[in-house]
Each structure stands twice: as structure tokens, then as C-alpha cells.
């Protein structure tokens, strides 16, 4: 499965402006690990600092969040199947007109041992 999804939104044209490419803001700090052993996940995100306008290059919503494995030492000898968390809510649209994007993420709720 995927960790992120993207949908196009607010596609109506904006009047009389030059194209402007999207620019990302800084990454947040990494979150705490979701598990103390057997493999968890930590996350960090960033938001659009300047949204693409009037045909400018959009930021790839798939690059708005990162996940990394953490605490991978086994804590229980029994195996478990990997499970996804529920999807987080959709973000706001990155633009009010001219074709923006919104995204949502999910994580690994239980990693395979």
C-alpha cells in the first residue's frame, strides 16, 4: 500500500498572473518512534511555503511527508503481520485556484517482525 495519496483541487484558472513554481518549507523534527521494539516508524512533514500559481510547477505531495524505520530490535519472538494505520484527514488545498493539491498520509501501525 501507499503512505500518501494526492488529489487535484481548485482547478479553475486564475486571471492575469505569471506562473510561479511551488516551494517547500522546512522539515519538522522527527516524531517519536511508534514502537519501542520490533520495528516502529517515525515521521516528519513539511508544508508548501509558496503554492504554485497560474501554471507554475506544483510541489509533489508525495514529498510532503517522510517516514523512517526505528527501534527495529525484536521484542517478542512471535511473528505478526504488518498492518496499516487509518488514513489521516486530507490536508487543505495548496491553492485557491489554478489547480492545487491536497494530501493525506498513513503509517505502519504494526510492522512485520
Amino acid at each position: 500500500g501507499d503512505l500518501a495519496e494526492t488529489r487535484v483541487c481548485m482547478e479553475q484558472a486564475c486571471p492575469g498572473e505569471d506562473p510561479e513554481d511551488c516551494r517547500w518549507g522546512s522539515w519538522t523534527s522527527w516524531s517519536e518512534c511508534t514502537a519501542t521494539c520490533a520495528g516502529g516508524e517515525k515521521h516528519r512533514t513539511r508544508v508548501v511555503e509558496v503554492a504554485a500559481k497560474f501554471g507554475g510547477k506544483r510541489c509533489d505531495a508525495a514529498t510532503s511527508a517522510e517516514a523512517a524505520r526505528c527501534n527495529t530490535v525484536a521484542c517478542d519472538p512471535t511473528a505478526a503481520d504488518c498492518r496499516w494505520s487509518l488514513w489521516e484527514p486530507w490536508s487543505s488545498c495548496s491553492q485557491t485556484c489554478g489547480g492545487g493539491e491536497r494530501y493525506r498520509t498513513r503509517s505502519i501501525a504494526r510492522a512485520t517482525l
Side-chain angles (χ1 to χ4, degrees):
D2 295 325
L3 285 173
E5 291 183 328
T6 302
R7 286 189 183 165
V8 174
C9 54
M10 304 302 266
E11 294 184 271
Q12 68 272 20
C14 298
E17 298 252 345
D18 291 328
E20 185 173 354
D21 290 345
C22 172
R23 285 197 318 265
W24 286 110
S26 299
W27 287 103
T28 61
S29 298
W30 286 101
S31 67
E32 290 188 32
C33 191
T34 58
T36 57
C37 58
E41 201 171 75
K42 59 183 180 178
H43 305 94
R44 67 180 185 169
T45 59
R46 60 183 179 175
V47 295
V48 172
E49 188 173 278
V50 176
K53 295 179 184 173
F54 315 114
K57 182 181 175 190
R58 295 180 184 164
C59 289
D60 179 1
T63 64
S64 66
E66 287 186 331
R69 290 187 54 100
C70 52
N71 298 336
T72 57
V73 176
C75 57
D76 187 330
T78 61
D81 292 333
C82 180
R83 298 233 175 128
W84 289 107
S85 70
L86 297 176
W87 284 103
E88 294 293 327
W90 285 100
S91 68
S92 299
C93 190
S94 62
Q95 293 189 193
T96 58
C97 60
E101 292 181 334
R102 55 190 189 149
Y103 66 91
R104 65 182 183 169
T105 61
R106 63 181 177 173
S107 62
I108 296 171
R110 184 175 71 196
T112 303
L113 296 179

